[in-house]
Amino acid sequence: MVGDIATHDHDHESAPAHFGAPERVSVGKYVTINYTLRTNGQIRHIRSAVWGDEPLEYQHGSGRLLPALERALEGKAAGERFEVTLPPEEAYGERDKALQQRVPAETFGGVDQIEPGMCFLAHSDDERRVENVIVTEVDEDNGYVVVDTNHPLAGMTLEFEGSIVTVRDTPTPAGHQHIDPTIASMGDGLALAAAQATVDSRRKRGDQSSKPPAPDTVDENGNR
C-alpha cells in the first residue's frame, strides 16, 4: 500500500525573476549616443552605426555637451530615442559682429590658398583658450584676412535626433581618452573632430617676426 503523499500549504511555483531597473542618464554616468544634427533642415553632422561610426561617448554633467541637450537626455535609458530642438539662445548664441576682425594675411603663412569658408582652430591671445576661426573675407591686394571667431553654429537653431546606446558607471575602453577640456566645451562634435587638425594659426604680434607653422584646415564637418 502506497502511503499518503505529504502535501504543503505553500505551492512550489518558481518565484518570478526580478531584474534591476535599467541604468538611466544622470550626473556622473558615461553615456554613448548616436545622433543626427540638422540646421535649417540640412544635415550638419551624423554619428550612426549605419555608417560604421562609433557612438559619441561623454560623461553626463561634465560640460562636454550643451547644457540644454544634457537636460533633454536626463533620465533616459539605453534604447530610448530623443528629439531635441535648441534655439540659438540655448545653443551657441546669436552671432556677434564684434567677434569679426582683420588680421594680416601673413598670419596664415604656409597655407597655399586662403579662401572664405576655411575653418581653423587657434589659441586666443592669452593662450588660455582655443577658438574657432572662420575666414569670411580675403583681401589679397591689401594683405589682410577677415576672420570670425563666432562658433560655426552661432545664430542657428539646432535639431538633434538620435538614440541612447549605453549608460554605464565607467567609460568604455574606446571612450577612455584624454580630451582637452577647452575643446570639449565646444560641445557638438564638429569642434572635437577639428581639434585633431589644430592649431596656432594666430600668434601674438610679438611672435609674428618669425614665420609660424601653417595651420591645418578643416571643413564644417571636421574633415581635413
Side-chain angles (χ1 to χ4, degrees):
M1 180 175 176
V2 178
D4 294 336
I5 299 176
T7 60
H8 300 275
D9 292 336
H10 61 276
D11 59 50
H12 290 275
E13 293 182 5
S14 299
H18 292 282
F19 298 99
E23 294 283 358
R24 293 189 175 274
V25 177
S26 59
V27 173
K29 297 290 186 182
Y30 289 86
V31 184
T32 59
I33 61 174
N34 286 325
Y35 69 94
T36 299
L37 168 62
R38 292 181 175 86
T39 58
N40 299 322
Q42 296 184 338
I43 294 176
R44 296 295 297 264
H45 193 63
I46 295 178
R47 279 287 187 113
S48 172
V50 173
W51 301 103
D53 300 327
E54 291 292 329
L56 172 69
E57 178 165 297
Y58 75 98
Q59 186 177 23
H60 198 73
S62 67
R64 179 172 179 182
L65 296 190
L66 291 164
L69 180 56
E70 283 201 340
R71 289 195 296 271
L73 299 181
E74 185 84 20
K76 293 190 178 297
E80 289 193 47
R81 295 194 59 78
F82 59 87
E83 292 186 13
V84 184
T85 298
L86 303 182
E89 60 269 22
E90 293 186 347
Y92 295 101
E94 299 292 349
R95 301 198 70 78
D96 184 352
K97 291 184 178 180
L99 296 180
Q100 296 180 339
Q101 58 183 299
R102 292 182 180 183
V103 297
E106 63 189 36
T107 302
F108 297 85
V111 178
D112 293 337
Q113 183 70 37
I114 301 295
E115 298 178 353
M118 283 185 168
C119 181
F120 299 87
L121 290 181
H123 284 304
S124 60
D125 286 339
D126 61 9
E127 301 291 331
R128 294 181 179 180
R129 303 186 311 280
V130 176
E131 300 173 331
N132 289 278
V133 176
I134 301 174
V135 176
T136 60
E137 181 183 343
V138 178
D139 188 331
E140 295 181 353
D141 293 336
N142 294 305
Y144 70 81
V145 175
V146 177
V147 296
D148 186 346
T149 58
N150 282 285
H151 191 280
L153 299 178
M156 298 183 184
T157 295
L158 309 185
E159 301 169 4
F160 291 92
E161 65 172 309
S163 61
I164 308 294
V165 180
T166 62
V167 180
R168 298 161 49 97
D169 290 323
T170 57
T172 62
H176 188 63
Q177 53 185 320
H178 172 73
I179 298 176
D180 189 315
T182 60
I183 299 295
S185 65
M186 294 179 185
D188 62 296
L190 303 179
L192 290 171
Q196 300 172 12
T198 201
V199 304
D200 278 351
S201 63
R202 193 156 59 110
R203 298 277 186 173
K204 293 180 179 179
R205 292 191 177 184
D207 295 336
Q208 290 179 357
S209 57
S210 60
K211 190 175 182 179
D216 290 333
T217 60
V218 293
D219 63 22
E220 66 180 11
N221 292 319
N223 298 316
R224 297 188 184 192

